[in-house]
Amino acid sequence: MTFCVAIKSKTGVVALSDTRISSGLGVSTSKKIKTYQDGESSFFVMSSGLRSIRDKVIHLFEEELETSPCDKLYKVANMIGKAVKQSRAEDLEPLMQSKFFFDAHFIIGGQCSKDKQSTIFLVFPEGNWVEASDESPYTIIGNTGFGKSILRRLLHENISFDLAIKAAYLSFDATFKNASDVDFPVDFALYKNGTFEIKELRKTEEELKGTALKWNQMLIDAADSLPDFVHFDD
């Protein structure tokens, strides 16, 4: 399974992905965020689902991107969607015969040369897409059940860049503590509007251990400080 989340703040976008790759009984580590930068456009692509679909879609996308550079991010989403549709047309039936689903979601985030600011798109397995809104400024794919509630509580249309980074990690932390199929290290892709430069960094469990412990203690203290609403003697 995969955990990928992207958050749109008022000054840029934040992406986080786990790095666990499962193949049969084997487990390995692999980067799941791919960045594209040419000085005028800067964006990242993340995906969940079958690795074979992801690899084929990326190759088809990159081949078209070489001859048709994008000046707006929605055009990147269109290209990814087109590649997904081609892969689906070619591979859906053989996958179903082998009892696999055509399972592939893609997140695209960043800013192209003619975009006023950065944004995020989610591409579905059918090739269609939606853009993150100010009211719902995030997209999460893969193992989404444990981390989504934190995002819903913390995120709003005026979220700061720094809080977006923290929210992305806390969403992963909730998933990591409750699921065995996502794991450290985690990769970040950080982009601020108008810079056309994505900063990438990797963090290990040990590096973020202090943050996780502090967050856990803060939750305990907050719960303990709530007023009692059930009394044993009533």
Side-chain angles (χ1 to χ4, degrees), residues 48 61 64 72 99 111 122 137 162 177 199 214 222 227:
S48 67
F61 163 69
E64 184 174 4
K72 289 199 171 184
K99 301 188 185 302
Q111 184 178 13
L122 169 63
D162 289 338
K177 284 182 167 56
K199 179 178 181 180
K214 184 172 183 179

Side-chain angles (χ1 to χ4, degrees), residues 116-214:
K116 294 182 179 179
Q117 60 184 13
S118 58
T119 189
I120 299 165
F121 291 90
L122 169 63
V123 180
F124 296 100
E126 294 75 22
N128 57 321
W129 52 258
V130 294
E131 182 178 0
S133 65
D134 290 339
E135 294 75 23
S136 183
Y138 71 91
T139 295
I140 181 172
I141 57 176
N143 195 331
T144 64
F146 301 107
K148 189 175 289 186
S149 61
I150 288 178
L151 299 174
R152 286 176 173 170
R153 287 178 180 273
L154 292 181
L155 300 184
H156 51 82
E157 61 184 21
N158 292 317
I159 185 173
S160 69
F161 193 77
D162 289 338
L163 182 55
I165 296 173
K166 295 172 187 176
Y169 169 66
L170 294 178
S171 181
F172 167 79
D173 178 71
T175 306
F176 174 69
K177 284 182 167 56
N178 289 282
S180 61
D181 53 9
V182 301
D183 203 354
F184 284 93
V186 292
D187 288 327
F188 288 88
L190 310 175
Y191 176 79
K192 287 197 172 183
N193 295 339
T195 61
F196 297 104
E197 181 180 358
I198 295 175
K199 179 178 181 180
E200 297 183 77
L201 64 148
R202 173 167 288 189
K203 292 291 184 179
T204 65
E205 183 177 5
E206 184 62 29
E207 287 176 302
L208 294 174
K209 183 178 180 180
T211 301
L213 290 173
K214 184 172 183 179

Side-chain angles (χ1 to χ4, degrees), residues 43-45 57 61 64-65 68 70-85 106-110 112 115 119-124 126-132:
F43 59 89
F44 58 80
V45 177
V57 167
F61 163 69
E64 184 174 4
L65 188 64
S68 304
C70 296
D71 56 8
K72 289 199 171 184
L73 198 64
Y74 86 86
K75 295 180 181 179
V76 177
N78 281 342
M79 279 191 186
I80 292 284
K82 178 182 176 182
V84 170
K85 290 175 183 177
F106 291 82
I107 297 176
I108 303 143
C112 291
D115 289 319
T119 189
I120 299 165
F121 291 90
L122 169 63
V123 180
F124 296 100
E126 294 75 22
N128 57 321
W129 52 258
V130 294
E131 182 178 0

